Amino acid sequence: MNKNESKPIFSRKTPLRELLKSPVGYDIAERLLNTFGKNATLLNNKIIGGIRLGALPRLSKGMVDEALLDTIINMLNSVEAMGPLRTEGEYLPAWWKEMVVYQIYPRSFCDYDGDGVGDLAGITANLDYLAELGINAIWMSPICDSPNDDNGYDIRDYRKIMAEFGTMEDFRCLLAEAHRRGIRVIMDMVLNHSSDEHEWFQRALAGEKKYQDYYYFVDGEPDTPPNNWLSFFSGSAWNYYPEIGKWALHSFSKKQMDLNWENPELREELFDIMRFWLDEGVDGFRLDVISIISKTKGLPDGSDILGSMLGFRGIEHYFFGPRLHEFLRELRANSFGRYDAFTVGETPGTGMHMNQMLTAEERGELDTVLCFDHLDCPGKNKYDNYLYDLRWMKKVLTAQQIDYTKSCWNVLFFENHDNPRMISKVNPDPAYRDAIGKL
């Protein structure tokens, strides 16, 4: 993809080869073609590349219908131009580009007070051990106050420590002791949704219009959700609240209510939360599902065809939403961009070219992202029982190292709390455990 070319305008008359000029188009084509053992460069073929987008419903034999084609075209046209990225010279230095991060799941890491639940004091007590491993930073899964419907990713109070883990004083002690050993502290922050027990949502249910506008509330009848979107946790993505006669959106569990980033007052509240923790001395954030904060205006129905393929109906309307880049630039300018802080975004569904848009230094959005392309072979997902082919990992990581440009920096990781152990996926035979682990 030539990043110096201007952004094309897509229509049904557009040849398929033009997809290669769009970061979203390139990555969608790459993902689909990989399932057939091909890649997006196939669209450079004179015959295939000349096929017009409008022919896809007929040629795909129902895989792409007219409505889905319109959605794809609208999405391609809503994404801003990439702009030129730096390909020459040296990488710009930054402390986070050299760090080795150790992920900690606080609940199970170390139970210091003996109550059966891991805690912040347990992490502090093991900082010497962590330092001996040679790590430079710790990333803690969520530690803010939460009813734990989704392991802390449903935050009830953004400025309070989860009681099971300790107190704010315990956190400050951990932070100070980590810094004394040269270890940075990265927090897990959830800005796409809050718990339904958060004060904002409770005040919304009490009828306060201001706080209803912090979420996606829609008037309606109890048997008719506003659209056909499905939750990542199965079932409708909507809850009905008879006391106010409204539906509310939840992309994940029924207790994780999507925040309305279209509301500037809500955005400022979130910026202030980020500044609160940065002022405490936090070194950075892992931003949970940050790529889905922008939703298509009007929240239109999702494609049944795409939903059956992916298992998540409606995802085309938010996985790389129309105002995502605008929101991320605003987030940076009003929070972590004012500090010597680091951000890594969790961006499910995005490919390398979309990730360049999210992380290029010239664009002022995120520092880097967690790209999941290498974690599963084409056509597979983390729930499938299969033997992973390491040649796929080699292909993806090589492309990321060579083609990511001098403006972008990639994260190297092989598993996390959301994914199965890579060693077991390659070969579960214990006889090969050490050999695979040392590759």
Side-chain angles (χ1 to χ4, degrees):
M1 184 171 60
N2 185 345
K3 299 176 180 63
N4 291 302
E5 293 188 29
S6 61
K7 176 179 176 289
I9 302 300
F10 291 89
S11 71
R12 288 171 175 263
K13 295 181 179 180
T14 302
L16 287 177
R17 69 172 64 91
E18 292 295 298
L19 291 175
L20 301 182
K21 298 179 181 179
S22 162
V24 175
Y26 195 112
D27 286 344
I28 290 176
E30 181 82 358
R31 197 173 300 278
L32 290 175
L33 290 169
N34 278 336
T35 63
F36 301 102
K38 308 294 184 180
N39 60 54
T41 58
L42 180 66
L43 301 187
N44 284 322
N45 177 279
K46 185 175 182 180
I47 295 175
I48 296 174
I51 296 172
R52 297 180 186 273
L53 289 176
L56 288 180
R58 175 171 53 86
L59 296 178
S60 67
K61 297 181 178 180
M63 288 184 64
V64 177
D65 63 8
E66 300 292 341
L68 178 55
L69 178 60
D70 287 338
T71 297
I72 293 172
I73 290 174
N74 288 337
M75 181 170 60
L76 292 171
N77 285 328
S78 70
V79 176
E80 61 188 53
M82 168 87 82
L85 302 183
R86 188 167 59 88
T87 58
E88 304 295 332
E90 299 297 322
Y91 290 103
L92 297 180
W95 62 264
W96 52 267
K97 292 182 178 180
E98 306 296 330
M99 69 178 176
V100 177
V101 183
Y102 187 104
Q103 181 184 0
I104 292 177
Y105 189 69
R107 186 170 296 277
S108 62
F109 181 74
C110 180
D111 176 16
Y112 188 79
D113 61 10
D115 66 355
V117 178
D119 45 44
L120 298 182
I123 300 173
T124 304
N126 283 277
L127 287 173
D128 286 337
Y129 159 73
L130 293 170
E132 289 173 5
L133 294 178
I135 61 105
N136 310 111
I138 55 174
W139 153 34
M140 295 181 292
S141 293
I143 60 172
C144 292
D145 177 53
S146 168
N148 280 308
D149 188 63
D150 183 27
N151 303 298
Y153 286 95
D154 48 318
I155 296 179
R156 179 167 49 200
D157 188 335
Y158 283 92
R159 292 179 174 83
K160 184 179 178 182
I161 298 294
M162 198 182 307
E164 300 98 310
F165 295 162
T167 65
M168 184 60 80
E169 287 307 310
D170 292 325
F171 174 77
R172 290 170 178 150
C173 177
L174 166 60
L175 193 63
E177 290 299 315
H179 286 168
R180 190 167 67 84
R181 292 166 175 81
I183 297 175
R184 308 268 187 165
V185 177
I186 311 298
M187 285 188 70
D188 214 325
M189 187 55 65
V190 188
L191 302 179
N192 176 70
H193 49 264
S194 79
S195 168
D196 65 349
E197 297 184 25
H198 193 288
E199 179 188 5
W200 298 339
F201 196 78
Q202 290 300 305
R203 294 179 72 169
L205 293 183
E208 294 190 43
K209 179 67 166 59
K210 170 183 175 179
Y211 292 103
Q212 289 178 357
D213 289 343
Y214 277 25
Y215 298 89
Y216 289 93
F217 277 97
V218 179
D219 292 328
E221 298 301 319
D223 297 326
T224 310
N227 64 29
N228 66 354
W229 294 6
L230 295 177
S231 160
F232 285 102
F233 286 12
S234 78
S236 172
W238 295 90
N239 291 341
Y240 187 70
Y241 296 92
E243 62 270 36
I244 55 174
K246 296 179 184 291
W247 293 85
L249 179 66
H250 62 91
S251 297
F252 294 88
S253 90
K254 289 181 175 294
K255 290 179 64 64
Q256 292 171 288
M257 312 312 299
D258 281 45
L259 293 164
N260 178 15
W261 274 72
E262 296 291 327
N263 183 340
E265 193 170 354
L266 176 276
R267 297 201 300 273
E268 182 52 44
E269 294 261 25
L270 297 177
F271 304 157
D272 193 57
I273 288 166
M274 297 279 280
R275 293 191 295 263
F276 170 84
W277 290 106
L278 289 162
D279 288 339
E280 285 287 341
V282 166
D283 298 290
F285 302 93
R286 178 231 184 224
L287 298 174
D288 185 62
V289 292
I290 195 65
S291 56
I292 73 170
I293 58 176
S294 172
K295 276 77 170 175
T296 300
K297 186 176 181 180
L299 309 179
D301 277 345
S303 163
D304 288 326
I305 293 175
L306 192 60
S308 65
M309 292 171 58
L310 302 177
F312 310 118
R313 192 167 55 219
I315 194 171
E316 68 271 26
H317 294 299
Y318 57 81
F319 93 104
F320 205 70
R323 298 185 69 188
L324 174 61
H325 301 293
E326 174 191 348
F327 291 157
L328 292 179
R329 285 193 288 268
E330 191 176 339
L331 174 62
R332 185 183 193 98
N334 288 281
S335 60
F336 58 87
R338 302 178 183 181
Y339 301 74
D340 183 23
F342 161 74
T343 51
V344 55
E346 183 195 26
T347 57
T350 61
M352 185 172 70
H353 297 89
M354 287 186 270
N355 291 338
Q356 286 177 318
M357 293 192 74
L358 295 170
T359 63
E361 291 157 351
E362 298 92 334
R363 295 179 54 81
E365 298 180 25
L366 302 173
D367 289 321
T368 188
V369 297
L370 296 165
C371 179
F372 297 93
D373 284 356
H374 62 293
L375 294 186
D376 282 296
C377 294
K380 302 292 185 181
N381 63 54
K382 64 184 179 181
Y383 302 110
D384 292 331
N385 184 16
Y386 73 101
L387 291 181
Y388 182 89
D389 188 343
L390 283 168
R391 289 172 295 185
W392 173 247
M393 180 180 291
K394 177 183 177 182
K395 177 182 177 180
V396 175
L397 295 186
T398 299
Q400 290 175 353
Q401 294 298 310
I402 294 175
D403 300 329
Y404 213 39
T405 80
K406 299 291 185 179
S407 293
C408 308
W409 195 264
N410 193 42
V411 175
L412 291 173
F413 77 106
F414 304 100
E415 58 195 35
N416 66 5
H417 62 285
D418 281 328
N419 291 276
R421 298 299 188 191
M422 184 57 75
I423 290 175
S424 299
K425 288 174 65 171
V426 174
N427 193 322
D429 189 336
Y432 301 108
R433 180 180 180 85
D434 286 351
I436 296 171
K438 293 175 182 177
L439 285 175

